[in-house]
Coordinates of all heavy atoms in Angstrom, one line a residue:
F124 N 95.7 125.4 74.9 CA 94.6 125.8 74.0 C 94.6 127.3 74.0 O 95.0 128.0 74.9 CB 93.3 125.2 74.4 CG 93.0 125.5 75.9 CD1 92.3 126.6 76.2 CD2 93.4 124.6 76.8 CE1 92.0 126.8 77.6 CE2 93.1 124.8 78.2 CZ 92.5 125.9 78.5
E125 N 94.0 127.9 72.9 CA 93.9 129.3 72.8 C 92.4 129.7 72.5 O 92.0 129.7 71.4 CB 94.8 129.9 71.7 CG 96.3 129.6 71.9 CD 96.8 130.4 73.1 OE1 96.2 131.4 73.5 OE2 97.9 130.0 73.6
G126 N 91.7 129.8 73.6 CA 90.3 130.3 73.4 C 89.3 129.2 73.1 O 88.1 129.5 73.2
T127 N 89.7 128.0 72.7 CA 88.7 127.0 72.4 C 88.5 126.1 73.7 O 89.4 126.0 74.5 CB 89.2 126.1 71.3 OG1 90.5 125.5 71.7 CG2 89.5 126.9 70.0
P128 N 87.3 125.5 73.8 CA 87.1 124.7 75.0 C 88.1 123.5 75.0 O 88.2 122.8 74.0 CB 85.7 124.1 74.7 CG 85.0 125.2 73.8 CD 86.1 125.7 73.0
P129 N 88.8 123.3 76.1 CA 89.8 122.3 76.2 C 89.1 120.9 76.5 O 88.0 120.9 77.0 CB 90.6 122.7 77.4 CG 89.7 123.5 78.2 CD 88.7 124.2 77.3
P130 N 89.8 119.8 76.3 CA 89.3 118.5 76.7 C 89.4 118.4 78.2 O 90.3 118.8 78.8 CB 90.2 117.5 76.0 CG 91.5 118.3 75.8 CD 91.1 119.7 75.6
P131 N 88.3 117.9 78.8 CA 88.4 117.7 80.3 C 89.3 116.5 80.6 O 89.4 115.6 79.8 CB 86.9 117.5 80.6 CG 86.3 116.9 79.4 CD 87.0 117.5 78.3
P132 N 89.8 116.5 81.8 CA 89.7 117.6 82.8 C 90.7 118.7 82.6 O 91.7 118.6 81.9 CB 90.1 116.9 84.1 CG 91.0 115.8 83.7 CD 90.6 115.4 82.3
V133 N 90.4 119.9 83.1 CA 91.2 121.1 83.0 C 91.7 121.4 84.5 O 90.9 121.3 85.4 CB 90.4 122.3 82.5 CG1 91.2 123.6 82.7 CG2 90.1 122.1 81.1
V134 N 93.0 121.6 84.6 CA 93.5 122.1 85.9 C 94.4 123.3 85.5 O 95.3 123.1 84.6 CB 94.4 121.0 86.6 CG1 94.9 121.6 87.9 CG2 93.5 119.8 86.9
W135 N 94.2 124.4 86.1 CA 95.1 125.5 85.9 C 95.2 126.4 87.2 O 94.3 126.4 88.0 CB 94.8 126.3 84.7 CG 93.5 127.0 84.5 CD1 92.6 127.2 85.5 CD2 93.0 127.5 83.3 NE1 91.5 127.9 85.0 CE2 91.7 128.0 83.6 CE3 93.4 127.5 82.0 CZ2 90.9 128.6 82.6 CZ3 92.7 128.1 81.0 CH2 91.4 128.6 81.4
S136 N 96.3 127.2 87.2 CA 96.6 128.0 88.4 C 95.8 129.3 88.3 O 95.6 129.9 87.3 CB 98.1 128.3 88.4 OG 98.8 127.1 88.6
M137 N 95.4 129.7 89.5 CA 94.6 130.9 89.6 C 95.3 132.0 90.4 O 94.7 133.0 90.7 CB 93.3 130.6 90.3 CG 92.5 129.5 89.6 SD 90.8 129.4 90.2 CE 90.2 131.0 89.7
G138 N 96.5 131.7 90.8 CA 97.3 132.7 91.6 C 97.7 132.2 92.9 O 97.2 131.2 93.4
G139 N 98.7 132.8 93.5 CA 99.2 132.4 94.8 C 100.5 133.2 95.1 O 100.8 134.2 94.4
G140 N 101.3 132.6 96.0 CA 102.5 133.3 96.3 C 103.1 132.6 97.5 O 102.7 131.5 97.9
G141 N 104.1 133.3 98.1 CA 104.8 132.7 99.2 C 106.2 133.3 99.4 O 106.5 134.3 98.8
G142 N 107.0 132.6 100.1 CA 108.3 133.1 100.4 C 108.9 132.3 101.6 O 108.1 131.6 102.3
E143 N 110.2 132.5 101.9 CA 110.8 131.8 103.0 C 110.5 130.3 103.0 O 110.3 129.7 104.1 CB 110.3 132.5 104.3 CG 110.6 133.9 104.4 CD 112.1 134.2 104.5 OE1 112.8 133.4 105.1 OE2 112.5 135.2 103.9
G144 N 110.6 129.7 101.9 CA 110.4 128.2 101.8 C 109.0 127.7 101.8 O 108.8 126.5 101.9
R145 N 108.0 128.6 101.7 CA 106.6 128.1 101.6 C 105.9 128.8 100.5 O 106.0 130.0 100.4 CB 105.9 128.4 102.9 CG 104.4 128.0 102.8 CD 103.6 128.3 104.0 NE 102.2 128.1 103.7 CZ 101.3 127.7 104.6 NH1 101.7 127.5 105.8 NH2 100.0 127.6 104.2
W146 N 105.3 128.0 99.6 CA 104.7 128.5 98.4 C 103.3 127.9 98.3 O 103.2 126.7 98.5 CB 105.5 128.3 97.1 CG 106.8 129.0 97.3 CD1 108.0 128.5 97.8 CD2 107.1 130.3 96.9 NE1 109.0 129.4 97.8 CE2 108.5 130.6 97.2 CE3 106.4 131.3 96.3 CZ2 109.1 131.8 97.0 CZ3 107.0 132.6 96.1 CH2 108.4 132.8 96.4
E147 N 102.3 128.7 98.0 CA 100.9 128.1 97.9 C 100.3 128.7 96.6 O 100.4 129.9 96.3 CB 100.1 128.5 99.1 CG 98.9 127.8 99.3 CD 98.3 127.9 100.7 OE1 99.0 128.5 101.6 OE2 97.2 127.3 100.9
M148 N 99.6 127.8 95.8 CA 99.0 128.2 94.6 C 97.6 127.6 94.5 O 97.4 126.4 94.8 CB 99.8 127.7 93.4 CG 99.4 128.2 92.1 SD 99.8 129.9 91.8 CE 101.5 129.9 91.7
D149 N 96.6 128.5 94.2 CA 95.2 128.0 94.1 C 95.1 127.4 92.7 O 95.6 128.0 91.7 CB 94.2 129.2 94.2 CG 94.0 129.5 95.7 OD1 94.2 128.7 96.5 OD2 93.6 130.7 95.9
Q150 N 94.4 126.3 92.6 CA 94.2 125.6 91.3 C 92.7 125.4 91.0 O 91.9 125.3 92.0 CB 94.8 124.2 91.4 CG 96.3 124.2 91.9 CD 97.3 124.6 90.8 OE1 97.1 124.3 89.7 NE2 98.2 125.4 91.3
W151 N 92.4 125.4 89.8 CA 91.0 125.2 89.4 C 90.9 123.9 88.7 O 91.7 123.6 87.7 CB 90.5 126.3 88.4 CG 89.2 126.1 87.8 CD1 88.9 125.8 86.5 CD2 87.9 126.0 88.5 NE1 87.6 125.7 86.3 CE2 86.9 125.8 87.5 CE3 87.5 126.2 89.8 CZ2 85.5 125.7 87.8 CZ3 86.1 126.1 90.1 CH2 85.2 125.8 89.1
L152 N 90.0 123.0 89.1 CA 89.7 121.7 88.4 C 88.3 121.7 87.9 O 87.3 121.9 88.6 CB 89.9 120.6 89.5 CG 89.4 119.2 89.0 CD1 90.1 118.7 87.8 CD2 89.4 118.2 90.2
W153 N 88.2 121.5 86.6 CA 87.0 121.3 85.9 C 87.0 120.1 85.0 O 88.0 119.7 84.5 CB 86.7 122.6 84.9 CG 85.5 122.4 84.1 CD1 84.2 122.7 84.4 CD2 85.5 121.9 82.7 NE1 83.4 122.4 83.3 CE2 84.1 121.9 82.3 CE3 86.5 121.4 81.8 CZ2 83.8 121.5 81.0 CZ3 86.1 120.9 80.6 CH2 84.7 121.0 80.2
P154 N 85.9 119.3 85.0 CA 84.6 119.6 85.6 C 84.6 119.1 87.1 O 85.6 118.5 87.6 CB 83.7 118.7 84.7 CG 84.5 117.6 84.3 CD 85.9 118.1 84.1
L155 N 83.4 119.2 87.7 CA 83.2 118.6 89.0 C 83.6 117.1 88.9 O 83.0 116.4 88.0 CB 81.8 118.8 89.4 CG 81.4 118.6 90.9 CD1 82.1 119.6 91.8 CD2 79.9 118.7 91.0
P156 N 84.5 116.6 89.7 CA 84.9 115.2 89.6 C 83.7 114.2 89.9 O 82.8 114.6 90.7 CB 86.0 115.0 90.6 CG 85.8 116.1 91.6 CD 85.2 117.3 90.8
P157 N 83.7 113.1 89.2 CA 82.6 112.1 89.5 C 82.8 111.4 90.9 O 83.8 111.6 91.5 CB 82.8 111.1 88.4 CG 84.2 111.2 88.0 CD 84.6 112.6 88.2
D158 N 81.8 110.7 91.3 CA 81.9 109.9 92.5 C 83.1 108.9 92.3 O 83.4 108.5 91.2 CB 80.7 109.1 92.8 CG 79.5 110.0 93.2 OD1 79.7 111.2 93.5 OD2 78.4 109.5 93.3
G159 N 83.8 108.7 93.4 CA 84.9 107.8 93.4 C 86.2 108.5 93.7 O 86.1 109.7 94.1
P160 N 87.3 107.9 93.7 CA 88.5 108.5 94.1 C 89.0 109.6 93.1 O 88.9 109.4 91.9 CB 89.6 107.4 94.2 CG 89.0 106.3 93.3 CD 87.5 106.5 93.3
L161 N 89.4 110.7 93.6 CA 90.1 111.8 92.9 C 91.6 111.7 93.2 O 91.9 111.9 94.4 CB 89.5 113.2 93.2 CG 90.3 114.4 92.6 CD1 90.3 114.3 91.1 CD2 89.6 115.7 93.1
K162 N 92.4 111.3 92.3 CA 93.8 110.9 92.6 C 94.7 111.9 92.1 O 94.6 112.4 90.9 CB 94.1 109.5 92.0 CG 95.2 108.8 92.7 CD 95.2 107.3 92.2 CE 96.3 106.6 93.0 NZ 96.3 105.1 92.6
F163 N 95.7 112.3 92.9 CA 96.7 113.3 92.6 C 98.0 112.6 92.5 O 98.3 111.7 93.4 CB 96.7 114.4 93.6 CG 95.5 115.3 93.6 CD1 94.4 115.0 94.4 CD2 95.4 116.5 92.9 CE1 93.3 115.7 94.4 CE2 94.3 117.2 92.9 CZ 93.2 116.9 93.6
F164 N 98.9 113.0 91.6 CA 100.2 112.4 91.4 C 101.3 113.5 91.4 O 101.0 114.7 91.0 CB 100.3 111.7 90.1 CG 99.4 110.5 89.9 CD1 98.1 110.6 89.6 CD2 99.9 109.2 90.2 CE1 97.3 109.5 89.5 CE2 99.1 108.1 90.1 CZ 97.8 108.2 89.7
A165 N 102.5 113.2 91.9 CA 103.6 114.1 91.9 C 104.9 113.3 91.7 O 105.0 112.1 92.1 CB 103.7 114.9 93.1
A166 N 105.9 113.9 91.1 CA 107.2 113.4 91.0 C 108.2 114.6 90.9 O 107.9 115.5 90.1 CB 107.4 112.5 89.8
W167 N 109.2 114.5 91.7 CA 110.2 115.7 91.7 C 111.6 115.1 91.9 O 112.1 115.1 93.0 CB 109.8 116.6 92.8 CG 110.2 118.0 92.6 CD1 110.9 118.6 91.6 CD2 109.7 119.1 93.5 NE1 111.0 119.9 91.8 CE2 110.3 120.3 92.9 CE3 109.0 119.2 94.6 CZ2 110.1 121.5 93.5 CZ3 108.8 120.5 95.2 CH2 109.3 121.6 94.6
P168 N 112.2 114.6 90.9 CA 113.5 113.9 91.0 C 114.6 114.7 91.7 O 115.4 114.2 92.5 CB 113.9 113.6 89.6 CG 112.6 113.5 88.8 CD 111.7 114.6 89.5
A169 N 114.6 116.0 91.5 CA 115.7 116.9 92.1 C 115.6 116.8 93.6 O 116.6 117.0 94.3 CB 115.5 118.3 91.7
H170 N 114.5 116.5 94.2 CA 114.3 116.4 95.6 C 114.1 114.9 96.1 O 113.6 114.7 97.2 CB 113.1 117.2 96.1 CG 113.4 118.7 95.8 ND1 114.2 119.5 96.6 CD2 112.9 119.5 94.9 CE1 114.2 120.7 96.1 NE2 113.5 120.7 95.1
G171 N 114.5 114.0 95.2 CA 114.4 112.6 95.6 C 113.0 112.0 95.6 O 112.8 111.0 96.3
I172 N 112.1 112.7 95.0 CA 110.7 112.2 95.0 C 110.3 111.5 93.8 O 110.3 112.1 92.7 CB 109.8 113.5 95.2 CG1 110.1 114.2 96.5 CG2 108.3 113.0 95.2 CD1 109.5 115.6 96.6
V173 N 110.2 110.2 93.9 CA 109.7 109.4 92.8 C 108.2 109.5 92.7 O 107.6 110.1 93.6 CB 110.1 107.9 93.0 CG1 111.7 107.8 92.9 CG2 109.6 107.3 94.2
E174 N 107.6 108.9 91.7 CA 106.2 109.1 91.5 C 105.4 108.6 92.8 O 105.6 107.5 93.3 CB 105.7 108.3 90.3 CG 104.2 108.5 90.0 CD 103.7 107.8 88.8 OE1 104.3 108.1 87.7 OE2 102.8 107.0 88.9
T175 N 104.6 109.5 93.3 CA 103.8 109.3 94.5 C 102.3 109.7 94.2 O 102.1 110.5 93.3 CB 104.4 110.0 95.7 OG1 103.6 109.6 96.9 CG2 104.4 111.5 95.5
S176 N 101.4 109.3 95.0 CA 100.0 109.7 94.8 C 99.3 109.8 96.1 O 99.7 109.2 97.1 CB 99.3 108.7 93.8 OG 99.2 107.4 94.4
A177 N 98.1 110.4 96.0 CA 97.2 110.6 97.2 C 95.8 110.7 96.7 O 95.6 111.2 95.6 CB 97.6 111.7 98.1
E178 N 94.8 110.3 97.5 CA 93.4 110.3 97.0 C 92.6 111.2 97.9 O 92.8 111.3 99.1 CB 92.8 108.9 97.1 CG 93.4 107.9 96.0 CD 92.6 106.6 96.0 OE1 91.7 106.4 96.8 OE2 93.1 105.7 95.3
I179 N 91.6 111.8 97.2 CA 90.5 112.5 97.8 C 89.2 111.9 97.4 O 89.1 111.4 96.3 CB 90.6 114.0 97.4 CG1 91.9 114.7 97.8 CG2 89.4 114.8 97.8 CD1 92.0 114.9 99.3
D180 N 88.2 112.0 98.3 CA 86.9 111.4 98.0 C 86.1 112.3 97.1 O 85.6 113.3 97.5 CB 86.2 111.1 99.3 CG 84.8 110.4 99.1 OD1 84.5 110.1 97.9 OD2 84.1 110.3 100.1
G181 N 85.9 111.9 95.8 CA 85.2 112.7 94.8 C 83.7 112.8 95.2 O 83.1 113.9 95.0
A182 N 83.1 111.8 95.8 CA 81.7 111.8 96.1 C 81.4 112.9 97.2 O 80.4 113.6 97.1 CB 81.3 110.4 96.7
E183 N 82.4 113.0 98.1 CA 82.2 114.0 99.2 C 82.3 115.5 98.6 O 81.5 116.4 99.0 CB 83.2 113.8 100.3 CG 82.9 114.6 101.6 CD 83.6 115.9 101.7 OE1 84.5 116.2 100.8 OE2 83.3 116.7 102.6
L184 N 83.2 115.6 97.6 CA 83.3 116.9 96.9 C 82.0 117.3 96.2 O 81.5 118.4 96.2 CB 84.5 116.9 95.9 CG 85.9 116.8 96.6 CD1 86.9 116.8 95.4 CD2 86.2 117.9 97.6
R185 N 81.4 116.3 95.6 CA 80.1 116.5 94.9 C 79.0 116.9 95.8 O 78.1 117.7 95.6 CB 79.7 115.3 94.0 CG 80.7 115.0 92.9 CD 80.2 113.8 92.1 NE 79.0 114.1 91.3 CZ 79.0 114.7 90.1 NH1 80.1 115.1 89.6 NH2 77.8 115.0 89.5
Q186 N 79.0 116.2 97.0 CA 78.0 116.5 98.0 C 78.1 118.0 98.5 O 77.1 118.7 98.6 CB 78.1 115.6 99.2 CG 77.7 114.1 98.9 CD 78.2 113.2 100.0 OE1 78.6 113.5 101.0 NE2 78.0 111.9 99.7
R187 N 79.4 118.4 98.7 CA 79.6 119.8 99.1 C 79.2 120.7 98.0 O 78.6 121.8 98.2 CB 81.1 120.0 99.4 CG 81.5 119.2 100.6 CD 81.1 119.9 101.9 NE 81.5 119.2 103.1 CZ 80.8 118.4 103.9 NH1 79.5 118.3 103.6 NH2 81.3 117.8 104.9
A188 N 79.5 120.4 96.7 CA 79.2 121.3 95.6 C 77.7 121.5 95.5 O 77.2 122.6 95.1 CB 79.7 120.7 94.3
A189 N 76.9 120.5 95.9 CA 75.4 120.6 95.9 C 74.9 121.6 96.9 O 73.8 122.1 96.9 CB 74.8 119.3 96.1
Q190 N 75.8 122.0 97.9 CA 75.5 122.9 98.9 C 75.9 124.3 98.6 O 75.7 125.3 99.4 CB 76.1 122.5 100.3 CG 75.6 121.1 100.7 CD 76.5 120.5 101.9 OE1 77.4 121.2 102.3 NE2 76.1 119.3 102.3
A191 N 76.6 124.5 97.5 CA 77.0 125.9 97.1 C 75.8 126.7 96.9 O 74.7 126.3 96.5 CB 77.8 125.8 95.8
E192 N 75.9 128.0 97.2 CA 74.7 128.9 97.2 C 74.9 129.9 96.1 O 75.8 130.7 96.0 CB 74.6 129.7 98.5 CG 73.4 130.6 98.6 CD 73.4 131.3 99.9 OE1 74.1 131.0 100.8 OE2 72.5 132.2 100.0
V193 N 73.9 129.9 95.2 CA 73.9 130.8 94.1 C 73.2 132.1 94.6 O 72.0 132.1 95.0 CB 73.1 130.3 92.9 CG1 73.0 131.3 91.8 CG2 73.7 129.0 92.4
V194 N 73.9 133.2 94.6 CA 73.4 134.5 95.1 C 72.9 135.4 94.1 O 72.1 136.2 94.3 CB 74.4 135.2 96.1 CG1 74.6 134.4 97.3 CG2 75.7 135.4 95.4
W195 N 73.5 135.3 92.9 CA 72.9 136.1 91.7 C 73.5 135.6 90.4 O 74.5 134.9 90.4 CB 73.3 137.6 91.9 CG 74.7 137.9 91.7 CD1 75.5 137.9 90.6 CD2 75.6 138.4 92.8 NE1 76.8 138.3 90.9 CE2 76.8 138.6 92.2 CE3 75.4 138.7 94.1 CZ2 77.9 139.1 93.0 CZ3 76.4 139.2 94.9 CH2 77.7 139.3 94.3
G196 N 72.8 135.9 89.4 CA 73.3 135.7 88.0 C 73.1 134.4 87.3 O 73.4 134.3 86.1

Side-chain angles (χ1 to χ4, degrees):
F124 51 90
E125 298 295 339
T127 58
V133 168
V134 179
W135 61 16
S136 296
M137 303 193 63
E143 299 297 321
R145 175 179 171 152
W146 300 88
E147 196 162 355
M148 188 72 67
D149 284 336
Q150 310 286 318
W151 171 249
L152 167 63
W153 173 85
L155 195 62
D158 289 350
L161 172 60
K162 202 165 184 178
F163 294 88
F164 293 83
W167 208 352
H170 296 284
I172 299 163
V173 296
E174 185 176 302
T175 183
S176 65
E178 288 185 7
I179 294 293
D180 181 6
E183 194 265 350
L184 296 178
R185 293 184 70 84
Q186 291 167 6
R187 293 283 181 254
Q190 298 167 2
E192 182 181 351
V193 179
V194 292
W195 67 70

